[in-house]
Amino acid sequence: VPFVSEEGIGPADGPIPTLGGAIASFGHLEVGGSSFTDNVAQLGEGGAIYSASAVELGVSELDVAASLFTGNQAIADEGGSIGGFGGAIKSDADVVSISGSTFDSNVADRNGGAFFTSGRSLSTTNVTAPNNLSVVNSTFYKNEAETGAALWVGVFEDSNSGASIVFNTFLDNVR
C-alpha cells in the first residue's frame, strides 16, 4: 500500500501542528508491506506516521513490519518551538515494534530523522513488557535531524519501559 505526498491533519498555519503526513493514529496501528514516500508534517510531528496513546483505549501499540519510508519530513516552525519531530515516524504509543523496515533520506528539523519517541506514554502506563520499544532487522540510511539523525529514544527513569535495538544497519545518517 503506497502512501505518497500527503499533508498531515491539522491546520498548517494555525497553532495546532499537523500530526502524521499520511497517518495519524490514537490507538492500535499495524503497518505491513507498505511504502511511505515524500509525506510531510508541516509544523508537525511524524512525517509519515504519528502514533499516540489514547487513555480511554488502554494500552496502545504501533507495529511496523517490512515497510519502506523514503523522503518523509517533519518540519518545525522558524523558531523551532513547534514540530519537527520524527521525519518518518513519531510515536508515543505504549508498545512500539519496528521490524524488517527501511528508512531512507527522511528529515526531522529537530529530533529523530527516521523515528522519534519521547517515552511520555511509556512512562505513564502499567505495561510491564521488558522492552516497550523493539527495533529489529531494519536499515537506517541517510536520515537527518538536529539530534538523533536515525533514532531519538527518550525513556523516563521512573517508567517500566525499556528498548531493544538489535540487528539493524545504520549508515550515513547525518546530524
Side-chain angles (χ1 to χ4, degrees), residues 64-82:
V64 176
S67 293
L68 174 64
F69 296 84
T70 306
N72 300 288
Q73 299 178 60
I75 300 173
D77 67 339
E78 284 187 32
S81 61
I82 299 175

Side-chain angles (χ1 to χ4, degrees), residues 2-3 5 8 12 14-15 47 53 60-61 68 79 81 97 102 104 113 115 120 130 137-138 146-147 150 152 172 174:
F3 294 89
S5 296
S53 179
S60 65
E61 295 182 32
L68 174 64
S81 61
S97 174
T102 299
D104 183 354
F115 175 78
R120 262 184 295 192
N137 292 327
S138 294
E146 185 177 299
T147 305
W152 195 98
D172 294 334
V174 179

Side-chain angles (χ1 to χ4, degrees), residues 2-136:
F3 294 89
V4 180
S5 296
E6 295 295 328
E7 301 257 345
I9 63 170
D13 59 348
I16 301 172
T18 56
L19 303 174
I23 296 173
S25 172
F26 298 90
H28 296 295
L29 177 62
E30 290 185 35
V31 176
S34 298
S35 176
F36 296 83
T37 305
D38 296 331
N39 297 286
V40 177
Q42 186 70 36
L43 300 181
E45 303 177 1
I49 296 174
Y50 175 86
S51 172
S53 179
V55 175
E56 63 276 1
L57 297 177
V59 176
S60 65
E61 295 182 32
L62 171 63
D63 185 9
V64 176
S67 293
L68 174 64
F69 296 84
T70 306
N72 300 288
Q73 299 178 60
I75 300 173
D77 67 339
E78 284 187 32
S81 61
I82 299 175
F85 300 103
I89 299 173
K90 197 287 189 166
S91 180
D92 287 320
D94 301 307
V95 179
V96 178
S97 174
I98 298 172
S99 63
S101 295
T102 299
F103 296 83
D104 183 354
S105 303
N106 299 286
V107 177
D109 283 351
R110 294 181 69 194
N111 302 331
F115 175 78
F116 175 96
T117 182
S118 68
R120 262 184 295 192
S121 293
L122 299 179
S123 69
T124 60
T125 67
N126 291 320
V127 176
T128 57
N131 295 308
N132 298 52
L133 171 64
S134 174
V135 182
V136 181

Side-chain angles (χ1 to χ4, degrees), residues 154-169:
V155 179
F156 297 114
E157 60 183 75
D158 63 340
S159 72
N160 293 325
S161 61
S164 174
I165 301 171
V166 296
F167 306 117
N168 298 288
T169 300

